[in-house]
Amino acid sequence: MQFIPHNRHSKFIAFIFSGAFGSSSSNIEQARGYTSSLVAALRPSPNVSAPGSRPLHTSRPLSSPVANRPLSPHLPLKKPQFSATFSISHRIFGAALGVAIISVPLATKYSLMFGV
Amino acid sequence: MGIGEHFEGVKQHWARNFAFLDYFKKVYGRAEPLPKWSDADVEEFIASDPVYGPQLKALRESRKFALAGALVGATHLGGVAFKYSKAPHGIVLATGFGAITGAVLGAEVAEHWYQLYKMDKQGANLRFIYWWEDKVSGLFLVLSSVLSLLHMMIRFLFVT
């Protein structure tokens, strides 16, 4: 499984994108399914037997029923606080500023070449 | 009042400093856009103008350098991403960014190959725009006068 950051920004961004993509399986949902099935794997299960051949993550293979489970709500419940709002808007503004700083001089340069 | 004159001077200072932005207003910010020109029209202008024609030609040649650089950069960085990572979005983004950086490098090579730093790029483009404007407005005048003459003749024929 790829590295998925679990900070509050990724929850916010994933919340936005889960609204965009509907309830199809996304990385965050798969990751949360992974963590909750890891909890299930702590209980004794029949597949964990030989010492050298332990399955990598869980005892159950990750399949589509895992990804279809609903998530517990976090963003619709918690009241937006100044620190969190400032932080994510700072990140969004920084990303937009980075895009502008890269793209505006490039556009100026290439408009001279490709304009006529 | 002295302070008003001072601010007028400040505004003129910054207008002079940002005068290079007028180029974009004249080329892209027209109220009625000029009719689209073809490569043949540009070649005609290059042949006609002895000063700015070669500059415009060098500018157009530099496009090939930029495109070649974009291809090289895109294949290289996309290839690196494909070799070391199987994430499809990563490969796409790496190809795009490689294209951008390769195009910048190609344009820089062309800048020194054709000595574009000695030329007035905005001036060369603007000369073509003015030449095209004059050519097209002449056409417009001829066409509109012919149409209005026809209109008058038809009305005259119908009245009598």
Side-chain angles (χ1 to χ4, degrees):
Chain A
M1 187 60 114
Q2 310 162 15
F3 171 70
I4 296 162
H6 285 293
N7 53 11
R8 60 180 69 197
H9 282 171
S10 66
K11 279 192 184 150
F12 184 82
I13 301 292
F15 184 70
I16 292 176
F17 281 119
S18 65
F21 294 138
S23 60
S24 58
S25 61
S26 63
N27 279 342
I28 294 295
E29 286 182 354
Q30 278 180 2
R32 290 183 70 85
Y34 153 67
T35 50
S36 45
S37 56
L38 187 61
V39 168
L42 286 178
R43 284 179 254 126
S45 51
N47 285 359
V48 182
S49 52
S53 66
R54 202 163 69 104
L56 197 56
H57 294 293
T58 68
S59 54
R60 263 188 300 121
L62 291 174
S63 55
S64 58
V66 167
N68 285 343
R69 272 188 284 153
L71 301 176
S72 60
H74 42 80
L75 278 176
L77 289 185
K78 187 171 181 180
K79 174 180 158 187
Q81 292 172 328
F82 174 71
S83 57
T85 314
F86 189 92
S87 174
I88 184 60
S89 52
H90 183 79
R91 183 176 275 194
I92 291 172
F93 187 80
L97 203 60
V99 166
I101 286 176
I102 292 282
S103 68
V104 165
L106 270 184
T108 309
K109 183 185 178 65
Y110 290 127
S111 76
L112 283 175
M113 251 198 291
F114 290 92
V116 167
Chain B
M1 198 64 186
I3 195 87
E5 289 166 15
H6 168 73
F7 277 120
E8 286 305 309
V10 168
K11 278 197 275 190
Q12 281 173 19
H13 169 77
W14 287 112
R16 255 177 280 131
N17 278 5
F18 283 117
F20 65 91
L21 290 176
D22 291 343
Y23 167 80
F24 296 102
K25 233 179 275 185
K26 286 175 196 164
V27 175
Y28 297 107
R30 290 177 165 265
E32 299 169 6
L34 287 173
K36 198 62 189 161
W37 54 85
S38 65
D39 285 343
D41 297 317
V42 183
E43 294 295 326
E44 195 186 326
F45 168 75
I46 290 173
S48 72
D49 195 323
V51 175
Y52 290 99
Q55 295 186 6
L56 192 58
K57 187 168 180 61
L59 260 184
R60 285 170 72 86
E61 296 298 312
S62 72
R63 284 191 209 179
K64 300 178 196 165
F65 283 68
L67 283 171
L71 276 174
V72 166
T75 50
H76 180 251
L77 203 58
V80 165
F82 184 73
K83 184 179 169 194
Y84 291 106
S85 152
K86 289 292 178 280
H89 57 279
I91 296 171
V92 168
L93 286 171
T95 312
F97 191 69
I100 291 173
T101 47
V104 170
L105 187 63
E108 194 63 25
V109 167
E111 176 100 6
H112 292 275
W113 189 276
Y114 290 117
Q115 296 189 335
L116 295 177
Y117 48 83
K118 288 186 183 173
M119 302 179 189
D120 183 9
K121 301 183 198 116
Q122 280 190 358
N125 283 353
L126 274 178
R127 286 281 164 172
F128 171 75
I129 295 286
Y130 295 156
W131 177 86
W132 183 244
E133 224 181 4
D134 294 337
K135 191 161 184 237
V136 162
S137 66
L139 257 177
F140 271 169
L141 281 175
V142 163
L143 275 177
S144 62
S145 59
V146 162
L147 277 174
S148 59
L149 268 174
L150 276 174
H151 181 72
M152 276 178 6
M153 279 163 48
I154 290 171
R155 283 179 62 182
F156 181 70
L157 283 171
F158 271 112
V159 163
T160 55

